[in-house]
Amino acid sequence: MRSPRELVGGSPAATYPIAFDGRELPAQEGQTVAAVLWAAGILAWRSTRQGGTPRGAFCGIGSCYDCLVTVNGRPNQRACLVPARPGDTVTTQEGTGHADLAV
Amino acid sequence: MPTSPSDPAALTATTDLAVIGAGPAGLAAAVTAARLGLRVTLLDTAERPGGQYYRHPAASLGATRPEALHHDWRAFTTREAALRAHEAAGRITYLPRHHVWTVVPADEPGTWTLHAVAGHAPDETPTTLRTRRVLLATGAYERQLPFPGWTLPGVVGAGGAQAMLKNNLVLPGRRVVVAGSGPLLLAVAGSLAAAGATVPAVVEAASYTAYAPQTPALLRNPAKLAEGATYGGALLRHGIRLLTRHAVTEAHGTTRVEAVTIARLDKDWRPLPGTARRIPCDALAVGHGLVPQLELATGLGCATLQAPDGTVALELDAAQRTSVPGISSAGETGGIGGAQLALTEGEIAAHAIAGRPVPAALTRRRARLRAFAAAMAAAHRPGSGWTDWLREETDVCRCEEVPAGRIREAAEELGARDARTVKLLTRAGMGWCQGRMCGPAVAALAGEAPAPDRRPFSCPVPLRHLAALPPTEPAPPGP
């Protein structure tokens, strides 16, 4: 089976784990949070405010805001732009990500 | 002038030219202007230059053949080398990870202040920069037309899939249908297949016979025809079917896409009864052309026009100047036309801004490529019948979850005749993306051509940055 890695050759400078909803996922240095999730076959990491339906990355360039996620406790980060850093904890974002405010 | 914690050096002098965007247009403009003697500051949101077209993996991802994912990679590498040389010589200040959120007149007449957010949350910092001239090279994002199931995980933008692949070396699935309209689909299908995905079909709503009336523009662009042949060859090599006059009218699945329904279309893009069939897949990459990204330009009051593809683009003169003195633009902002045109327009703009005559070869190349772009744009302009894909409960606005039925009610029963009134009545376009995704669809449902974007900020700005602006600064333009 071909892969993007085989297409472009080479290997990452570093691979480190990040946490996603209690799972450990391998991140390659230089990947965004959305890319680490896609690489693990995870396409949804948010549920919508009204319908509670699952969403993930859509536009891939920071325009659509569908990939919002909670990173290290901070909600509403665009997963397609935010680099995955060693030790990051990423959690599925429910609604606004501010359940504590009860809005 | 306010002080800037992130980049005090940028404040010490007024730069000759600020180029916003380091894609093909901005990159070409910056290196050309620097060569012609201007002091240039190049600001870009990404980590690396290249824009959406020449997106490529971070060095730390260790790709030894990034060119495998690109057409005409050398056009980029030669300009990136020039950028680095000018940077080393102090002629270009390159500021990656800087998102300019507004451009306003500065207190000294004839100069401009740029406000940017630098870096990523929670460490983002404010930056300001003063410049004599501004070149807007802010590019485009993808046009999306909604259909039932388009919010399912696994349904991704065609350009989005391409961006994630080029930037991060990841795929959304193993079996990916590519659908929508426009030449980008062919490139995306080729890239996905080369990277290991199975692409059962490219589903194109337009008919390539629509190019026939444009034969002169095609024949004047042999390189473009050769590029098309390259993509066609890639489809053949990977066994990808190209279905023209077809559309994905529904995506199926519960937690992620499992299949799509495709149907034949009439010439107005209306699905023909009895032609629907299912294609199993685990992802759908979809897009209907590109939309010029104009927030900064419309915030400044730059005049716009409707391009042949139905999008709003900037009105520009032969020297790439907008209607606002001191503000120029190049590339997709002046109408979608591709990377070669963007490179050419960037170089033209740089010559004009430097007060040099524009080489005739550049002017000729621009005319030729613009003619080709116009032919292509007209061929892929969405037909009015696409709204037949929608059901009442299909979400049109992804952010605010506003279904087509509510938008139709606003337009047909409550008398909303434009997207702005629809927005006020339904909240469509009022969410995080500020109508970037649903704007074209809402305008179509309201029975109007899309209006120019009016967004006071082009990206999220922390309130503390706004609060820290000194009172002498002119207020940002209103909505």
Side-chain angles (χ1 to χ4, degrees), chain A residues 1-8 10 13 29 31-32 35 43 48-51 55 58-59 61 65-66 74 77 81, chain B residues 52 55 60-65 120-122 151 155 157 160 168 174 193-195 256 398-401 432-433 460:
Chain A
M1 183 75 81
R2 274 170 299 126
S3 69
R5 174 63 64 192
E6 283 175 31
L7 180 64
V8 301
E29 187 181 353
Q31 285 185 321
T32 61
L43 289 170
T48 61
R49 285 171 297 154
Q50 319 279 334
R55 297 279 177 86
F58 181 65
C59 81
I61 64 168
Y65 296 74
D66 238 332
R74 197 182 150 115
Q77 304 306 300
L81 297 184
Chain B
Q52 301 304 338
R55 246 181 198 262
S60 55
L61 278 166
T64 55
R65 294 188 300 273
H120 292 288
T151 56
V155 178
N168 293 283
R174 301 303 312 177
R256 62 172 294 169
R398 298 173 69 95
C399 302
E400 293 294 314
E401 298 168 80
W432 286 297
C433 89

Side-chain angles (χ1 to χ4, degrees), chain B residues 204-238:
Chain B
E204 163 63 61
S207 162
Y208 274 88
T209 57
Y211 284 65
Q214 317 290 349
T215 305
L218 302 186
L219 294 179
R220 287 174 63 207
N221 286 275
K224 284 286 187 186
L225 292 180
E227 190 181 341
T230 305
Y231 293 137
L235 296 195
L236 280 178
R237 204 164 51 251
H238 295 294

Side-chain angles (χ1 to χ4, degrees), chain B residues 70-344:
Chain B
H70 287 89
H71 181 79
D72 201 9
W73 183 237
R74 204 180 131 72
F76 169 71
T77 53
T78 52
R79 286 171 180 88
E80 192 196 18
L83 168 66
R84 301 302 178 188
H86 287 304
E87 208 185 352
R91 289 185 293 263
I92 293 182
T93 304
Y94 169 49
L95 302 175
R97 292 179 301 278
H98 278 62
H99 199 141
V100 177
W101 56 269
T102 197
V103 179
V104 290
D107 40 12
E108 182 190 326
T111 65
W112 304 89
T113 300
L114 276 55
H115 292 279
V117 174
H120 292 288
D123 307 317
E124 76 271 58
T125 52
T127 304
T128 60
L129 171 77
R130 194 202 290 230
T131 183
R132 292 192 178 83
R133 301 288 296 269
V134 177
L135 180 75
L136 302 170
T138 48
Y141 51 87
E142 206 157 28
R143 173 161 61 187
Q144 295 293 346
L145 302 178
F147 52 89
W150 79 305
T151 56
L152 272 175
V155 178
V156 302
Q162 179 89 321
M164 293 280 282
L165 174 57
K166 285 180 174 179
N167 215 171
N168 293 283
L169 307 177
V170 293
L171 295 168
R174 301 303 312 177
R175 186 175 162 84
V176 189
V177 172
V178 177
S181 193
L184 176 68
L185 301 184
L186 304 178
V188 170
S191 301
L192 294 176
T198 299
V199 180
V202 172
V203 185
E204 163 63 61
S207 162
Y208 274 88
T209 57
Y211 284 65
Q214 317 290 349
T215 305
L218 302 186
L219 294 179
R220 287 174 63 207
N221 286 275
K224 284 286 187 186
L225 292 180
E227 190 181 341
T230 305
Y231 293 137
L235 296 195
L236 280 178
R237 204 164 51 251
H238 295 294
I240 303 170
R241 274 181 306 165
L242 172 61
L243 298 165
T244 57
R245 281 250 164 106
H246 277 73
V248 167
T249 54
E250 182 164 8
H252 309 276
T254 45
T255 56
R256 62 172 294 169
V257 64
E258 292 159 12
V260 294
T261 292
I262 65 166
R264 263 187 71 79
L265 303 180
D266 71 11
K267 66 176 173 39
D268 294 322
W269 292 28
R270 200 166 280 110
L272 292 167
T275 63
R277 60 193 155 110
R278 255 184 202 240
I279 302 180
C281 59
D282 60 3
L284 168 66
V286 64
H288 298 85
L290 304 176
V291 185
Q293 176 140 312
L294 302 183
E295 294 94 350
L296 297 175
T298 54
L300 283 159
C302 298
T304 59
L305 46 73
Q306 197 186 121
D309 57 3
T311 60
V312 177
L314 291 182
E315 196 180 299
L316 301 171
D317 71 7
Q320 300 294 136
R321 288 180 296 229
T322 72
S323 64
V324 175
I327 310 289
S328 301
S329 188
E332 310 289 47
T333 42
I336 303 307
Q340 289 166 14
L341 178 59
L343 292 165
T344 306

Side-chain angles (χ1 to χ4, degrees), chain B residues 23-84:
Chain B
L27 189 55
V31 299
T32 305
R35 179 169 57 80
L36 297 175
L38 297 186
R39 273 178 312 131
V40 179
T41 302
L42 174 62
L43 304 97
D44 189 64
T45 59
E47 307 270 336
R48 296 177 297 291
Q52 301 304 338
Y53 189 82
Y54 292 116
R55 246 181 198 262
H56 53 283
S60 55
L61 278 166
T64 55
R65 294 188 300 273
E67 70 277 12
L69 281 165
H70 287 89
H71 181 79
D72 201 9
W73 183 237
R74 204 180 131 72
F76 169 71
T77 53
T78 52
R79 286 171 180 88
E80 192 196 18
L83 168 66
R84 301 302 178 188

